[in-house]
Amino acid sequence: MQVQRFLTLFSVLVCWAGPVPAADMKPLLEASPALMKLLTIEEVKPGEMRESLSLSARVDLDQHRVARIGASVTGRITEIDAMLGQTVKKGDRLALLNSTELSQAQSDYLKATSQVNLRRITVKRAERLLESGVIAEAELQERQGVLVEAEVDLRAACDRLRVMGMSEADLKRLDKQRNIHSFSPVTSSIDGVVIERNVAIGQVVQPADSLYTVADLSQLWLVAEIPEQQAHWAREGDQVLAEVPALPGESVSGKLIYVSDLVDPDTRTVTVRMALANPQRLFKPQMLATLKISKPGAQSLLIPSQAVVRENDKDHVFVQTADNRFELRPVKLGREEAQKRELLDGLRPGEKIVVNGAFHLNNERLRSTLE
């Protein structure tokens, strides 16, 4: 009798509780038409996950576009024409100096030209005298030898003036006017911007002194150091992406133009460089940057990073099982690159997942569980 009562009570309780869900049944969610409009659904497809290495970098001058300019002769600065930050053209005068050394060199040149002219006249006279039988041929040859020596001295004096910065036009003016000009200009050898000035009026300068530094800032370098353990990563021509924190949203792609063949013994690093176009001069030398070197990788399944939902410290995605029905499924993910996550397990190629709007769908799921 008691056993019969127990069986009757158990059947009532089972009917009241309803069917017991299977242990392996996965949670499903039905999305409303309004919610469906917020979702973007795509198939899981294979793609290439590029391998990358991020490095701290800095913006630097392109040393092929930098000129350190000095005086071509010893003298005293009398005028300054260029200031820091000034844009100059090739040939523009930066400063002017007065040089007694230049004056002496011009004087020597004028004396040498006079000697050559005099020796030429002497040789012509000797040629006429030889024809008349007044002098012997040996005397003519002697005078021709003296002329050759004078011409050698003239060429040496001319070369010295060229080294001191005088142009062919200056030499022609000196030949014509026969006036000594002791002022020598300091001129820019390239188009660019004055980034350094080490000169003042009245200063005595020598050819070894660096008075100005002019740089073409339209093209810069991005320089980074790779630890020697990862030096195999970098090859000339590798694709790179650069980001400068001081210029949010300004990212630049390019290629490595230089990879050092030597390891710095102090830092144990290898230097790499990327060419950085700077037509608007937004990038400034010594700005900090991040340089990411990318290499082609193997094909694998990839999903967008925004499709991932974190639940109980695990990664999940919403898989579409019907037109408006979705399943929250755990997945195993690998590394991330360019807003893509490598899929290691949990999905098959061709399955459809929510790639945009997973946040709204998950909020709806959480709300329904609380009701």
Side-chain angles (χ1 to χ4, degrees):
M1 189 70 176
Q2 291 180 349
V3 174
Q4 187 176 1
R5 287 180 181 177
F6 176 79
L7 293 175
T8 303
L9 180 60
F10 178 79
S11 63
V12 171
L13 289 174
V14 169
C15 292
W16 175 80
V20 179
D24 60 348
M25 182 177 294
K26 297 179 180 178
L28 296 177
L29 177 67
E30 186 171 333
S32 65
L35 182 56
M36 287 295 296
K37 294 181 180 180
L38 302 177
L39 307 182
T40 302
I41 300 168
E42 294 181 0
E43 290 185 359
V44 178
K45 297 179 180 179
E48 183 182 78
M49 174 64 75
R50 299 181 67 88
E51 300 180 3
S52 62
L53 175 66
S54 294
L55 301 168
S56 297
R58 68 184 183 279
V59 179
D60 206 348
L61 295 171
D62 183 341
Q63 294 301 320
H64 298 151
R65 298 170 181 261
V66 177
R68 289 169 177 82
I69 301 167
S72 56
V73 63
T74 300
R76 186 181 299 275
I77 298 295
T78 58
E79 294 182 23
I80 292 178
D81 300 293
M83 300 298 176
L84 281 176
Q86 183 173 329
T87 300
V88 295
K89 297 290 185 181
K90 182 178 180 179
D92 284 356
R93 194 176 82 176
L94 308 179
L96 185 68
L97 59 86
N98 191 350
S99 172
T100 56
E101 182 182 0
L102 179 61
S103 299
Q104 183 60 49
Q106 291 179 8
S107 176
D108 294 341
Y109 173 80
L110 292 176
K111 290 178 181 178
T113 56
S114 297
Q115 285 295 317
V116 168
N117 292 333
L118 179 60
R119 298 307 175 189
R120 286 174 179 170
I121 294 174
T122 302
V123 168
K124 290 181 179 180
R125 182 183 301 134
E127 289 174 346
R128 291 194 300 269
L129 292 175
L130 179 63
E131 291 176 358
S132 302
V134 177
I135 63 173
E137 185 176 353
E139 186 172 348
L140 173 61
Q141 292 176 349
E142 181 181 352
R143 294 182 182 183
Q144 287 175 336
V146 174
L147 172 60
V148 170
E149 292 177 358
E151 289 175 339
V152 170
D153 291 339
L154 176 60
R155 286 195 295 269
C158 183
D159 290 342
R160 185 183 178 194
L161 289 178
R162 289 194 180 98
V163 171
M164 290 183 173
M166 291 191 67
S167 63
E168 294 299 326
D170 295 331
L171 291 173
K172 290 179 180 179
R173 177 192 57 78
L174 182 60
D175 283 330
K176 182 178 181 180
Q177 299 179 1
R178 313 291 291 181
N179 290 328
I180 293 175
H181 186 72
S182 62
F183 290 94
S184 175
V186 178
T187 59
S188 177
S189 55
I190 62 170
D191 296 347
V193 178
V194 177
I195 62 172
E196 188 176 354
R197 196 197 84 177
N198 302 309
V199 64
I201 291 180
Q203 178 181 345
V204 176
V205 298
Q206 297 179 352
D209 299 334
S210 178
L211 307 182
Y212 286 91
T213 300
V214 177
D216 179 3
L217 301 179
S218 65
Q219 186 77 25
L220 300 172
W221 282 345
L222 206 63
V223 182
E225 308 292 335
I226 299 181
E228 64 174 315
Q229 295 85 355
Q230 298 171 307
H232 63 278
W233 254 90
R235 295 288 185 274
E236 191 171 320
D238 282 351
Q239 290 287 338
V240 288
L241 180 68
E243 295 181 352
V244 179
L247 300 171
E250 290 289 338
S251 60
V252 181
S253 60
K255 294 183 179 181
L256 290 182
I257 61 171
Y258 170 80
V259 178
S260 176
D261 292 321
L262 302 177
V263 175
D264 189 311
D266 296 324
T267 61
R268 310 308 306 176
T269 57
V270 173
T271 301
V272 298
R273 289 199 295 260
M274 165 192 163
L276 181 63
N278 190 32
Q280 298 179 342
R281 300 200 6 211
L282 297 177
F283 300 100
K284 312 292 183 183
Q286 301 309 315
M287 276 184 170
L288 298 179
T290 299
L291 190 68
K292 182 180 290 187
I293 304 174
S294 298
K295 291 181 176 293
Q299 290 283 325
S300 60
L301 293 179
L302 303 178
I303 63 173
S305 299
Q306 65 267 25
V308 180
V309 176
R310 292 290 292 178
E311 184 79 11
N312 297 325
D313 293 330
K314 293 183 179 180
D315 295 321
H316 300 73
V317 295
F318 281 104
V319 181
Q320 187 180 34
T321 59
D323 289 343
N324 64 338
R325 294 176 66 84
F326 299 90
E327 168 194 321
L328 184 63
R329 185 184 300 177
V331 291
K332 185 178 180 180
L333 302 177
R335 52 201 170 89
E336 182 176 12
E337 175 70 24
Q339 301 299 315
K340 296 282 187 178
R341 295 292 299 274
E342 183 180 18
L343 179 65
L344 303 179
D345 191 24
L347 294 173
R348 297 184 303 276
E351 287 191 290
K352 295 182 178 181
I353 63 171
V354 178
V355 297
N356 283 317
F359 174 78
H360 303 293
L361 193 59
N362 193 49
N363 283 344
E364 180 64 21
R365 182 186 67 84
L366 294 175
R367 186 188 64 79
S368 62
T369 58
L370 294 176
E371 292 180 352

